[in-house]
Amino acid sequence: MNDLPDSAAPPSADATSSFYRNHLSHRAGFLIRRLHQIHLSLFAEECADFGVTPVQYSILTVAAVHPDIDQASLGHEVGVDRATLANVIARLKAHGLISRSKKATDRRVNLIRVTARGSAVLAQMDGAAQRAHERTVAALPENERALFISYLSYLVEAGNEHGRAPLRIG
């Protein structure tokens, strides 16, 4: 016999399931984190042959567009904190995808440049990375995908200062 009042009884499995289904499905943070997980999975599927993660791909892309970018600026362009960036740069360098040199006028500053091998990898994986991005939003009607991306951009820009590693926007 249960001596607990009804209000203290544990919720039924149906009530618990309903609670999470109704609440998590309406939480922006939960949904954004879940979409990020989905995108990481799709990126891994599409880009498996290259052994490059989405963060590495972003760093390579920025370094390709801005040869000899200083490491701190690179972190701001991608929105990656210093410790993570140093780790990713070391891995990319070990794989021969980037080079790192000291700035002639300030030896404390590391300059990052994509190597010929890194440029080749970027070119080879361009289609695969694009497919991952397209698959991430493929469930949306085609005419709403650009709007979705613009809303994401708006939210990122509006909340940028709250990020662990704010982006340099604009």
Side-chain angles (χ1 to χ4, degrees):
M1 179 185 263
N2 186 350
D3 293 332
L4 296 173
D6 289 339
S7 63
S12 69
D14 287 342
T16 300
S17 176
S18 175
F19 171 82
Y20 285 110
R21 189 173 45 252
N22 292 333
H23 293 313
L24 292 179
S25 67
H26 292 89
R27 293 180 184 165
F30 174 81
L31 294 170
I32 292 165
R33 181 185 62 80
R34 185 66 184 135
L35 184 59
H36 181 249
Q37 291 172 331
I38 291 165
H39 175 71
L40 291 176
S41 177
L42 295 172
F43 190 94
E45 284 177 23
E46 293 290 346
C47 299
D49 293 343
F50 305 102
V52 173
T53 68
V55 170
Q56 291 171 337
Y57 181 72
S58 296
I59 289 169
L60 284 169
T61 301
V62 170
V65 172
H66 302 286
D68 291 327
I69 187 170
D70 69 89
Q71 197 164 318
S73 294
L74 178 58
H76 290 296
E77 292 290 327
V78 181
V80 176
D81 65 82
R82 290 177 57 183
T84 300
L85 182 63
N87 187 303
V88 174
I89 292 291
R91 283 190 304 236
L92 291 170
K93 188 175 184 297
H95 287 87
L97 302 177
I98 59 120
S99 65
R100 183 174 48 203
S101 61
K102 296 290 185 183
K103 186 174 182 178
T105 57
D106 187 346
R107 306 293 292 161
R108 297 169 297 175
V109 176
N110 288 312
L111 302 176
I112 307 302
R113 177 179 284 267
V114 174
T115 62
R117 181 169 187 239
S119 291
V121 168
L122 269 176
Q124 291 168 1
M125 70 183 297
D126 185 56
Q130 187 58 40
R131 282 191 303 276
H133 295 297
E134 289 168 2
R135 287 177 65 195
T136 300
V137 296
L140 291 173
E142 193 169 341
N143 64 338
E144 293 182 17
R145 294 174 191 168
L147 180 62
F148 176 73
I149 297 299
S150 71
Y151 281 146
L152 287 176
S153 294
Y154 181 83
L155 291 171
V156 167
E157 187 169 344
N160 188 45
E161 74 276 1
H162 300 291
R164 226 178 46 201
L167 292 169
R168 183 180 310 144
I169 297 176

